[in-house]
Amino acid sequence: MKKILVPTDFSEQADNAMNMGCQIAQKNGAEVYALHILDISGYIDYAADSSYSMMGSPPSLVLDEKFMNDLQEGAQEKMEHFIDKYRSNEISIQQKIEFGNAYLFITEEVKNEDIDLIVMGSKGVEDGVEEFFVGSNTEKVVRHAKCPVITVKNRVQLDQIKNIVFASGFTEKESHVSVELKKIQEVFDATLHLVRINTPNNFETTRKAQSLIEQFAKSNELRQYTINFYDDLVEEDGIIYFAQDIEADMIALATHGRSGLMHLLSGSIAEDVVNHAKRPVWTFRLKH
């Protein structure tokens, strides 16, 4: 793991993500890339001393050079303040500020810089209706990123993450998932708690599930793990409640990266868990 991307909007959750990203970088000698995107369509910061009116702003405003420069300078000041407390001889931090769509720039940064891990802040939601209608850049990145993503809500100390729940059906023969999972297990020196969530609509006998998990662990040469089963009405709740019951420090999941109508019909377990879990959540997209 050599490059860690931390997208930031300078919020408390983004700062928590930066804190975690820098801890991982310090332990592994990785480089941190702090990225802030100025999305003109949804980011117009009318400060108290701004010379721009909130009433009747013309479409050509986005072409106003002074306006763009003011945004750039304001963001640069925030960025310097944001990363200043993380500067040290042990951590290399690169910073970048761009104009455009946040999700698209994050995707491009992952590709262009060959990013190994994204660490993002997430506020989550408390209301299922709000979650359905209001998307987020974090959800899009979790769904489609081609590298692992860790979403963080609260402050986390690296040395306190010792138990990671990995929830799966253990029927996917995707070796690349286990490879990345073992990398993050090594970073935290943690125990993996492999768990299959049994639901009425996705039931598996204990004997069959035991065999699947054992085969998964053996074929992927996992170490330091436990095998578990948990019953609930829906998988998302089962994952979160199991993690609570064993006092896990992190949840790990693979995501199918569905989009469009398929995403609306089936939903995404990974995104739901990211939204509602209080613990950090590690996700990685399954290849199609």
Side-chain angles (χ1 to χ4, degrees):
M1 189 180 300
K2 297 300 181 183
K3 296 182 179 181
I4 300 171
L5 176 65
V6 182
T8 178
D9 58 1
F10 310 122
S11 65
E12 177 184 350
Q13 290 77 18
D15 185 59
N16 292 337
M18 186 68 173
N19 179 270
M20 186 177 203
C22 287
Q23 288 185 73
I24 295 173
Q26 186 172 6
K27 184 173 182 179
N28 292 271
E31 193 170 24
V32 175
Y33 289 72
L35 174 67
H36 177 67
I37 307 301
L38 290 163
D39 189 341
I40 298 298
S41 64
Y43 185 100
I44 300 180
D45 188 5
Y46 293 101
D49 59 350
S50 173
S51 61
Y52 304 108
S53 170
M54 293 182 67
M55 300 292 291
S57 299
S60 60
L61 185 63
V62 297
L63 301 178
D64 189 299
E65 185 176 354
K66 182 178 185 303
F67 174 75
M68 301 286 276
N69 288 339
D70 285 352
L71 277 182
Q72 180 83 27
E73 290 175 7
Q76 189 63 52
E77 289 181 9
K78 292 178 181 178
M79 178 67 86
E80 292 294 335
H81 177 73
F82 180 77
I83 67 176
D84 186 60
K85 58 187 171 183
Y86 298 109
R87 294 186 187 277
S88 74
N89 294 330
E90 299 177 349
I91 306 173
S92 173
I93 302 177
Q94 303 292 332
Q95 57 174 289
K96 183 178 290 188
I97 298 173
E98 299 284 357
F99 287 92
N101 178 276
Y103 165 69
L104 293 179
F105 263 102
I106 292 171
T107 302
E108 284 300 306
E109 193 74 3
V110 169
K111 178 181 177 181
N112 295 337
E113 297 295 342
D114 196 20
I115 297 296
D116 300 299
L117 174 69
I118 301 172
V119 185
M120 293 187 73
S122 172
K123 294 181 180 179
V125 292
E126 299 296 332
D127 189 310
V129 175
E130 180 184 3
E131 178 183 348
F132 182 82
F133 286 105
V134 183
S136 73
N137 288 311
T138 300
E139 290 178 358
K140 291 178 183 177
V141 172
V142 165
R143 194 186 314 161
H144 298 296
K146 295 184 178 180
C147 69
V149 180
I150 295 178
T151 53
V152 181
K153 292 187 177 72
N154 305 306
R155 209 70 163 182
V156 177
Q157 292 302 314
L158 203 68
D159 59 4
Q160 293 178 357
I161 297 181
K162 294 301 179 185
N163 293 284
I164 301 175
V165 167
F166 178 61
S168 173
F170 301 100
T171 57
E172 298 282 356
K173 296 181 179 178
E174 299 284 353
S175 61
H176 70 292
V177 174
S178 64
V179 168
E180 296 298 332
L181 183 63
K182 287 190 287 186
K183 287 180 184 178
I184 207 66
Q185 180 189 20
E186 183 177 354
V187 166
F188 298 113
D189 188 25
T191 297
L192 287 177
H193 299 276
L194 311 178
V195 61
R196 190 194 192 283
I197 307 299
N198 251 341
T199 67
N201 293 326
N202 189 23
F203 177 80
E204 191 66 82
T205 65
T206 299
R207 186 181 181 88
K208 179 63 178 299
Q210 176 92 20
S211 175
L212 288 172
I213 299 177
E214 287 177 349
Q215 181 59 36
F216 177 87
K218 181 180 179 180
S219 61
N220 291 292
E221 299 181 341
L222 298 187
R223 61 171 186 82
Q224 200 172 328
Y225 65 89
T226 68
I227 293 176
N228 307 269
F229 315 100
Y230 197 86
D231 299 333
D232 209 306
L233 295 177
V234 293
E235 291 181 52
E236 297 91 321
D237 288 347
I239 294 167
I240 292 173
Y241 293 149
F242 174 72
Q244 290 176 357
D245 288 351
I246 69 167
E247 299 183 350
D249 307 301
M250 177 180 283
I251 296 172
L253 298 165
T255 175
H256 288 275
R258 296 188 179 97
S259 59
L261 180 61
M262 189 63 181
H263 174 67
L264 292 176
L265 292 176
S266 64
S268 169
I269 293 173
E271 290 166 53
D272 288 341
V273 172
V274 164
N275 270 319
H276 295 105
K278 295 180 180 179
R279 293 160 173 77
V281 181
W282 176 97
T283 55
F284 188 54
R285 185 185 179 207
L286 291 169
K287 290 181 179 178
H288 295 290

mmCIF file of all heavy atoms in Angstrom, residues 141-178:
data_model
loop_
_atom_site.group_PDB
_atom_site.id
_atom_site.type_symbol
_atom_site.label_atom_id
_atom_site.label_comp_id
_atom_site.label_asym_id
_atom_site.label_seq_id
_atom_site.Cartn_x
_atom_site.Cartn_y
_atom_site.Cartn_z
ATOM 1 N N VAL A 141 -18.777 6.417 -4.559
ATOM 2 C CA VAL A 141 -17.410 5.901 -4.520
ATOM 3 C C VAL A 141 -17.398 4.481 -3.985
ATOM 4 O O VAL A 141 -16.722 3.596 -4.524
ATOM 5 C CB VAL A 141 -16.509 6.816 -3.661
ATOM 6 C CG1 VAL A 141 -15.140 6.190 -3.465
ATOM 7 C CG2 VAL A 141 -16.373 8.187 -4.308
ATOM 8 N N VAL A 142 -18.160 4.227 -2.923
ATOM 9 C CA VAL A 142 -18.252 2.877 -2.352
ATOM 10 C C VAL A 142 -18.754 1.895 -3.399
ATOM 11 O O VAL A 142 -18.267 0.768 -3.511
ATOM 12 C CB VAL A 142 -19.183 2.869 -1.122
ATOM 13 C CG1 VAL A 142 -19.578 1.446 -0.741
ATOM 14 C CG2 VAL A 142 -18.506 3.561 0.056
ATOM 15 N N ARG A 143 -19.720 2.329 -4.197
ATOM 16 C CA ARG A 143 -20.344 1.435 -5.175
ATOM 17 C C ARG A 143 -19.419 1.116 -6.352
ATOM 18 O O ARG A 143 -19.434 -0.002 -6.866
ATOM 19 C CB ARG A 143 -21.634 2.069 -5.702
ATOM 20 C CG ARG A 143 -22.548 1.123 -6.469
ATOM 21 C CD ARG A 143 -23.716 1.876 -7.082
ATOM 22 N NE ARG A 143 -24.321 2.795 -6.135
ATOM 23 C CZ ARG A 143 -25.110 3.820 -6.488
ATOM 24 N NH1 ARG A 143 -25.336 4.051 -7.765
ATOM 25 N NH2 ARG A 143 -25.626 4.604 -5.570
ATOM 26 N N HIS A 144 -18.596 2.090 -6.767
ATOM 27 C CA HIS A 144 -17.880 1.926 -8.031
ATOM 28 C C HIS A 144 -16.354 1.959 -7.955
ATOM 29 O O HIS A 144 -15.697 1.669 -8.957
ATOM 30 C CB HIS A 144 -18.329 3.020 -9.014
ATOM 31 C CG HIS A 144 -19.777 2.962 -9.358
ATOM 32 N ND1 HIS A 144 -20.346 1.909 -10.028
ATOM 33 C CD2 HIS A 144 -20.796 3.830 -9.104
ATOM 34 C CE1 HIS A 144 -21.640 2.136 -10.200
ATOM 35 N NE2 HIS A 144 -21.937 3.288 -9.648
ATOM 36 N N ALA A 145 -15.779 2.327 -6.836
ATOM 37 C CA ALA A 145 -14.320 2.484 -6.766
ATOM 38 C C ALA A 145 -13.603 1.190 -7.117
ATOM 39 O O ALA A 145 -14.023 0.103 -6.731
ATOM 40 C CB ALA A 145 -13.913 2.941 -5.370
ATOM 41 N N LYS A 146 -12.499 1.323 -7.834
ATOM 42 C CA LYS A 146 -11.728 0.155 -8.253
ATOM 43 C C LYS A 146 -10.600 -0.172 -7.296
ATOM 44 O O LYS A 146 -9.717 -0.966 -7.615
ATOM 45 C CB LYS A 146 -11.196 0.378 -9.670
ATOM 46 C CG LYS A 146 -12.317 0.472 -10.706
ATOM 47 C CD LYS A 146 -11.784 0.599 -12.117
ATOM 48 C CE LYS A 146 -12.923 0.641 -13.123
ATOM 49 N NZ LYS A 146 -12.444 0.762 -14.519
ATOM 50 N N CYS A 147 -10.630 0.460 -6.137
ATOM 51 C CA CYS A 147 -9.707 0.121 -5.058
ATOM 52 C C CYS A 147 -10.512 0.080 -3.771
ATOM 53 O O CYS A 147 -11.644 0.579 -3.727
ATOM 54 C CB CYS A 147 -8.562 1.139 -4.970
ATOM 55 S SG CYS A 147 -9.064 2.774 -4.400
ATOM 56 N N PRO A 148 -9.990 -0.492 -2.710
ATOM 57 C CA PRO A 148 -10.732 -0.539 -1.441
ATOM 58 C C PRO A 148 -11.029 0.861 -0.910
ATOM 59 O O PRO A 148 -10.284 1.810 -1.158
ATOM 60 C CB PRO A 148 -9.780 -1.290 -0.500
ATOM 61 C CG PRO A 148 -8.893 -2.081 -1.403
ATOM 62 C CD PRO A 148 -8.714 -1.242 -2.626
ATOM 63 N N VAL A 149 -12.147 0.964 -0.192
ATOM 64 C CA VAL A 149 -12.573 2.231 0.409
ATOM 65 C C VAL A 149 -12.851 1.995 1.887
ATOM 66 O O VAL A 149 -13.529 1.028 2.253
ATOM 67 C CB VAL A 149 -13.851 2.772 -0.258
ATOM 68 C CG1 VAL A 149 -14.279 4.099 0.383
ATOM 69 C CG2 VAL A 149 -13.664 2.932 -1.756
ATOM 70 N N ILE A 150 -12.323 2.859 2.736
ATOM 71 C CA ILE A 150 -12.695 2.851 4.149
ATOM 72 C C ILE A 150 -13.495 4.110 4.423
ATOM 73 O O ILE A 150 -13.038 5.219 4.144
ATOM 74 C CB ILE A 150 -11.463 2.819 5.079
ATOM 75 C CG1 ILE A 150 -10.695 1.509 4.917
ATOM 76 C CG2 ILE A 150 -11.899 2.975 6.549
ATOM 77 C CD1 ILE A 150 -9.437 1.426 5.777
ATOM 78 N N THR A 151 -14.722 3.949 4.931
ATOM 79 C CA THR A 151 -15.541 5.089 5.312
ATOM 80 C C THR A 151 -15.509 5.240 6.830
ATOM 81 O O THR A 151 -15.602 4.258 7.561
ATOM 82 C CB THR A 151 -16.991 4.933 4.834
ATOM 83 O OG1 THR A 151 -17.517 3.677 5.272
ATOM 84 C CG2 THR A 151 -17.055 4.980 3.324
ATOM 85 N N VAL A 152 -15.373 6.484 7.259
ATOM 86 C CA VAL A 152 -15.176 6.781 8.676
ATOM 87 C C VAL A 152 -16.169 7.858 9.108
ATOM 88 O O VAL A 152 -16.360 8.851 8.404
ATOM 89 C CB VAL A 152 -13.740 7.293 8.935
ATOM 90 C CG1 VAL A 152 -13.530 7.590 10.410
ATOM 91 C CG2 VAL A 152 -12.716 6.286 8.443
ATOM 92 N N LYS A 153 -16.800 7.645 10.260
ATOM 93 C CA LYS A 153 -17.675 8.668 10.832
ATOM 94 C C LYS A 153 -17.016 9.342 12.033
ATOM 95 O O LYS A 153 -17.081 10.552 12.184
ATOM 96 C CB LYS A 153 -19.011 8.062 11.251
ATOM 97 C CG LYS A 153 -19.889 7.578 10.106
ATOM 98 C CD LYS A 153 -21.244 7.147 10.626
ATOM 99 C CE LYS A 153 -22.165 6.714 9.468
ATOM 100 N NZ LYS A 153 -21.759 5.421 8.903
ATOM 101 N N ASN A 154 -16.400 8.550 12.884
ATOM 102 C CA ASN A 154 -15.857 9.050 14.146
ATOM 103 C C ASN A 154 -14.334 8.943 14.168
ATOM 104 O O ASN A 154 -13.724 8.339 13.299
ATOM 105 C CB ASN A 154 -16.454 8.270 15.314
ATOM 106 C CG ASN A 154 -17.978 8.296 15.301
ATOM 107 O OD1 ASN A 154 -18.576 9.361 15.261
ATOM 108 N ND2 ASN A 154 -18.602 7.122 15.300
ATOM 109 N N ARG A 155 -13.735 9.528 15.189
ATOM 110 C CA ARG A 155 -12.285 9.444 15.367
ATOM 111 C C ARG A 155 -11.894 8.013 15.691
ATOM 112 O O ARG A 155 -12.520 7.358 16.523
ATOM 113 C CB ARG A 155 -11.852 10.352 16.518
ATOM 114 C CG ARG A 155 -10.448 10.902 16.390
ATOM 115 C CD ARG A 155 -10.376 11.912 15.277
ATOM 116 N NE ARG A 155 -9.181 12.756 15.360
ATOM 117 C CZ ARG A 155 -8.942 13.730 14.512
ATOM 118 N NH1 ARG A 155 -9.780 13.975 13.522
ATOM 119 N NH2 ARG A 155 -7.845 14.464 14.635
ATOM 120 N N VAL A 156 -10.865 7.501 15.022
ATOM 121 C CA VAL A 156 -10.439 6.118 15.203
ATOM 122 C C VAL A 156 -8.936 6.075 15.422
ATOM 123 O O VAL A 156 -8.172 6.744 14.720
ATOM 124 C CB VAL A 156 -10.796 5.250 13.967
ATOM 125 C CG1 VAL A 156 -10.289 3.839 14.141
ATOM 126 C CG2 VAL A 156 -12.297 5.256 13.733
ATOM 127 N N GLN A 157 -8.519 5.284 16.394
ATOM 128 C CA GLN A 157 -7.099 5.047 16.615
ATOM 129 C C GLN A 157 -6.713 3.717 15.985
ATOM 130 O O GLN A 157 -7.362 2.698 16.223
ATOM 131 C CB GLN A 157 -6.781 5.036 18.109
ATOM 132 C CG GLN A 157 -6.946 6.387 18.777
ATOM 133 C CD GLN A 157 -6.079 7.468 18.156
ATOM 134 O OE1 GLN A 157 -4.887 7.258 17.907
ATOM 135 N NE2 GLN A 157 -6.663 8.629 17.900
ATOM 136 N N LEU A 158 -5.660 3.742 15.203
ATOM 137 C CA LEU A 158 -5.248 2.567 14.448
ATOM 138 C C LEU A 158 -5.003 1.354 15.343
ATOM 139 O O LEU A 158 -5.424 0.245 15.024
ATOM 140 C CB LEU A 158 -3.980 2.897 13.659
ATOM 141 C CG LEU A 158 -3.702 2.033 12.430
ATOM 142 C CD1 LEU A 158 -4.727 2.306 11.359
ATOM 143 C CD2 LEU A 158 -2.301 2.309 11.903
ATOM 144 N N ASP A 159 -4.353 1.573 16.470
ATOM 145 C CA ASP A 159 -3.999 0.448 17.333
ATOM 146 C C ASP A 159 -5.189 -0.121 18.095
ATOM 147 O O ASP A 159 -5.060 -1.114 18.800
ATOM 148 C CB ASP A 159 -2.884 0.840 18.307
ATOM 149 C CG ASP A 159 -3.264 2.015 19.201
ATOM 150 O OD1 ASP A 159 -4.422 2.487 19.120
ATOM 151 O OD2 ASP A 159 -2.399 2.469 19.978
ATOM 152 N N GLN A 160 -6.359 0.505 17.940
ATOM 153 C CA GLN A 160 -7.560 0.006 18.602
ATOM 154 C C GLN A 160 -8.396 -0.890 17.693
ATOM 155 O O GLN A 160 -9.385 -1.469 18.123
ATOM 156 C CB GLN A 160 -8.407 1.170 19.114
ATOM 157 C CG GLN A 160 -7.747 1.961 20.235
ATOM 158 C CD GLN A 160 -8.575 3.140 20.706
ATOM 159 O OE1 GLN A 160 -9.646 3.426 20.167
ATOM 160 N NE2 GLN A 160 -8.087 3.835 21.722
ATOM 161 N N ILE A 161 -8.010 -0.984 16.422
ATOM 162 C CA ILE A 161 -8.747 -1.845 15.493
ATOM 163 C C ILE A 161 -8.104 -3.223 15.497
ATOM 164 O O ILE A 161 -7.083 -3.456 14.858
ATOM 165 C CB ILE A 161 -8.762 -1.248 14.072
ATOM 166 C CG1 ILE A 161 -9.486 0.088 14.079
ATOM 167 C CG2 ILE A 161 -9.423 -2.214 13.086
ATOM 168 C CD1 ILE A 161 -9.593 0.753 12.730
ATOM 169 N N LYS A 162 -8.701 -4.136 16.240
ATOM 170 C CA LYS A 162 -8.162 -5.475 16.421
ATOM 171 C C LYS A 162 -9.119 -6.579 15.974
ATOM 172 O O LYS A 162 -8.724 -7.732 15.866
ATOM 173 C CB LYS A 162 -7.779 -5.697 17.889
ATOM 174 C CG LYS A 162 -6.619 -4.811 18.356
ATOM 175 C CD LYS A 162 -5.374 -5.070 17.515
ATOM 176 C CE LYS A 162 -4.207 -4.193 17.925
ATOM 177 N NZ LYS A 162 -3.048 -4.371 17.012
ATOM 178 N N ASN A 163 -10.373 -6.218 15.721
ATOM 179 C CA ASN A 163 -11.371 -7.206 15.317
ATOM 180 C C ASN A 163 -12.177 -6.678 14.140
ATOM 181 O O ASN A 163 -12.869 -5.664 14.249
ATOM 182 C CB ASN A 163 -12.299 -7.534 16.486
ATOM 183 C CG ASN A 163 -11.575 -8.247 17.611
ATOM 184 O OD1 ASN A 163 -11.285 -9.435 17.525
ATOM 185 N ND2 ASN A 163 -11.270 -7.513 18.683
ATOM 186 N N ILE A 164 -12.049 -7.361 12.999
ATOM 187 C CA ILE A 164 -12.722 -6.947 11.765
ATOM 188 C C ILE A 164 -13.741 -8.005 11.352
ATOM 189 O O ILE A 164 -13.395 -9.175 11.177
ATOM 190 C CB ILE A 164 -11.712 -6.748 10.625
ATOM 191 C CG1 ILE A 164 -10.672 -5.682 11.006
ATOM 192 C CG2 ILE A 164 -12.435 -6.354 9.341
ATOM 193 C CD1 ILE A 164 -9.568 -5.507 9.975
ATOM 194 N N VAL A 165 -14.988 -7.590 11.222
ATOM 195 C CA VAL A 165 -16.038 -8.484 10.728
ATOM 196 C C VAL A 165 -16.014 -8.472 9.208
ATOM 197 O O VAL A 165 -16.073 -7.406 8.580
ATOM 198 C CB VAL A 165 -17.428 -8.020 11.223
ATOM 199 C CG1 VAL A 165 -18.534 -8.744 10.464
ATOM 200 C CG2 VAL A 165 -17.574 -8.252 12.716
ATOM 201 N N PHE A 166 -15.922 -9.659 8.592
ATOM 202 C CA PHE A 166 -16.051 -9.760 7.145
ATOM 203 C C PHE A 166 -17.298 -10.580 6.846
ATOM 204 O O PHE A 166 -17.340 -11.791 7.070
ATOM 205 C CB PHE A 166 -14.830 -10.418 6.506
ATOM 206 C CG PHE A 166 -14.962 -10.591 5.005
ATOM 207 C CD1 PHE A 166 -15.122 -9.492 4.185
ATOM 208 C CD2 PHE A 166 -14.930 -11.856 4.428
ATOM 209 C CE1 PHE A 166 -15.250 -9.636 2.798
ATOM 210 C CE2 PHE A 166 -15.051 -12.019 3.049
ATOM 211 C CZ PHE A 166 -15.215 -10.908 2.234
ATOM 212 N N ALA A 167 -18.334 -9.901 6.355
ATOM 213 C CA ALA A 167 -19.609 -10.545 6.054
ATOM 214 C C ALA A 167 -19.689 -10.862 4.572
ATOM 215 O O ALA A 167 -19.385 -10.023 3.723
ATOM 216 C CB ALA A 167 -20.770 -9.644 6.463
ATOM 217 N N SER A 168 -20.100 -12.108 4.268
ATOM 218 C CA SER A 168 -20.145 -12.544 2.875
ATOM 219 C C SER A 168 -21.028 -13.776 2.765
ATOM 220 O O SER A 168 -21.367 -14.398 3.767
ATOM 221 C CB SER A 168 -18.727 -12.866 2.385
ATOM 222 O OG SER A 168 -18.744 -13.442 1.099
ATOM 223 N N GLY A 169 -21.406 -14.101 1.522
ATOM 224 C CA GLY A 169 -22.079 -15.366 1.274
ATOM 225 C C GLY A 169 -21.068 -16.469 1.044
ATOM 226 O O GLY A 169 -21.407 -17.649 1.040
ATOM 227 N N PHE A 170 -19.801 -16.076 0.823
ATOM 228 C CA PHE A 170 -18.677 -16.996 0.630
ATOM 229 C C PHE A 170 -18.898 -17.959 -0.535
ATOM 230 O O PHE A 170 -18.380 -19.063 -0.550
ATOM 231 C CB PHE A 170 -18.401 -17.766 1.925
ATOM 232 C CG PHE A 170 -18.080 -16.871 3.085
ATOM 233 C CD1 PHE A 170 -19.045 -16.553 4.022
ATOM 234 C CD2 PHE A 170 -16.819 -16.318 3.208
ATOM 235 C CE1 PHE A 170 -18.769 -15.699 5.077
ATOM 236 C CE2 PHE A 170 -16.526 -15.453 4.265
ATOM 237 C CZ PHE A 170 -17.503 -15.145 5.203
ATOM 238 N N THR A 171 -19.665 -17.488 -1.510
ATOM 239 C CA THR A 171 -19.869 -18.287 -2.719
ATOM 240 C C THR A 171 -19.132 -17.680 -3.911
ATOM 241 O O THR A 171 -18.981 -18.311 -4.933
ATOM 242 C CB THR A 171 -21.370 -18.379 -3.056
ATOM 243 O OG1 THR A 171 -21.897 -17.062 -3.196
ATOM 244 C CG2 THR A 171 -22.130 -19.120 -1.963
ATOM 245 N N GLU A 172 -18.692 -16.425 -3.775
ATOM 246 C CA GLU A 172 -17.957 -15.761 -4.852
ATOM 247 C C GLU A 172 -16.499 -16.204 -4.816
ATOM 248 O O GLU A 172 -15.813 -16.050 -3.807
ATOM 249 C CB GLU A 172 -18.036 -14.241 -4.682
ATOM 250 C CG GLU A 172 -19.442 -13.682 -4.745
ATOM 251 C CD GLU A 172 -19.949 -13.575 -6.168
ATOM 252 O OE1 GLU A 172 -19.164 -13.876 -7.089
ATOM 253 O OE2 GLU A 172 -21.116 -13.204 -6.338
ATOM 254 N N LYS A 173 -16.022 -16.720 -5.927
ATOM 255 C CA LYS A 173 -14.611 -17.116 -6.005
ATOM 256 C C LYS A 173 -13.814 -15.946 -6.581
ATOM 257 O O LYS A 173 -13.371 -15.983 -7.718
ATOM 258 C CB LYS A 173 -14.469 -18.381 -6.854
ATOM 259 C CG LYS A 173 -15.174 -19.585 -6.239
ATOM 260 C CD LYS A 173 -14.994 -20.820 -7.087
ATOM 261 C CE LYS A 173 -15.674 -22.025 -6.445
ATOM 262 N NZ LYS A 173 -15.545 -23.245 -7.273
ATOM 263 N N GLU A 174 -13.690 -14.926 -5.748
ATOM 264 C CA GLU A 174 -13.011 -13.698 -6.168
ATOM 265 C C GLU A 174 -11.756 -13.525 -5.331
ATOM 266 O O GLU A 174 -11.776 -12.921 -4.258
ATOM 267 C CB GLU A 174 -13.945 -12.496 -6.003
ATOM 268 C CG GLU A 174 -15.222 -12.567 -6.826
ATOM 269 C CD GLU A 174 -14.965 -12.254 -8.294
ATOM 270 O OE1 GLU A 174 -13.837 -11.861 -8.626
ATOM 271 O OE2 GLU A 174 -15.889 -12.406 -9.095
ATOM 272 N N SER A 175 -10.654 -14.028 -5.819
ATOM 273 C CA SER A 175 -9.418 -13.997 -5.050
ATOM 274 C C SER A 175 -8.933 -12.581 -4.785
ATOM 275 O O SER A 175 -8.269 -12.326 -3.782
ATOM 276 C CB SER A 175 -8.322 -14.789 -5.771
ATOM 277 O OG SER A 175 -8.057 -14.233 -7.041
ATOM 278 N N HIS A 176 -9.251 -11.630 -5.693
ATOM 279 C CA HIS A 176 -8.753 -10.267 -5.507
ATOM 280 C C HIS A 176 -9.343 -9.617 -4.258
ATOM 281 O O HIS A 176 -8.718 -8.763 -3.638
ATOM 282 C CB HIS A 176 -9.044 -9.418 -6.739
ATOM 283 C CG HIS A 176 -10.483 -9.097 -6.945
ATOM 284 N ND1 HIS A 176 -11.414 -10.041 -7.276
ATOM 285 C CD2 HIS A 176 -11.157 -7.923 -6.856
ATOM 286 C CE1 HIS A 176 -12.598 -9.477 -7.402
ATOM 287 N NE2 HIS A 176 -12.472 -8.206 -7.143
ATOM 288 N N VAL A 177 -10.548 -10.037 -3.847
ATOM 289 C CA VAL A 177 -11.151 -9.495 -2.630
ATOM 290 C C VAL A 177 -10.350 -9.933 -1.410
ATOM 291 O O VAL A 177 -10.034 -9.130 -0.529
ATOM 292 C CB VAL A 177 -12.621 -9.934 -2.495
ATOM 293 C CG1 VAL A 177 -13.180 -9.491 -1.141
ATOM 294 C CG2 VAL A 177 -13.452 -9.362 -3.626
ATOM 295 N N SER A 178 -10.030 -11.209 -1.345
ATOM 296 C CA SER A 178 -9.290 -11.724 -0.193
ATOM 297 C C SER A 178 -7.879 -11.152 -0.141
ATOM 298 O O SER A 178 -7.339 -10.919 0.939
ATOM 299 C CB SER A 178 -9.244 -13.256 -0.228
ATOM 300 O OG SER A 178 -8.536 -13.716 -1.354
#
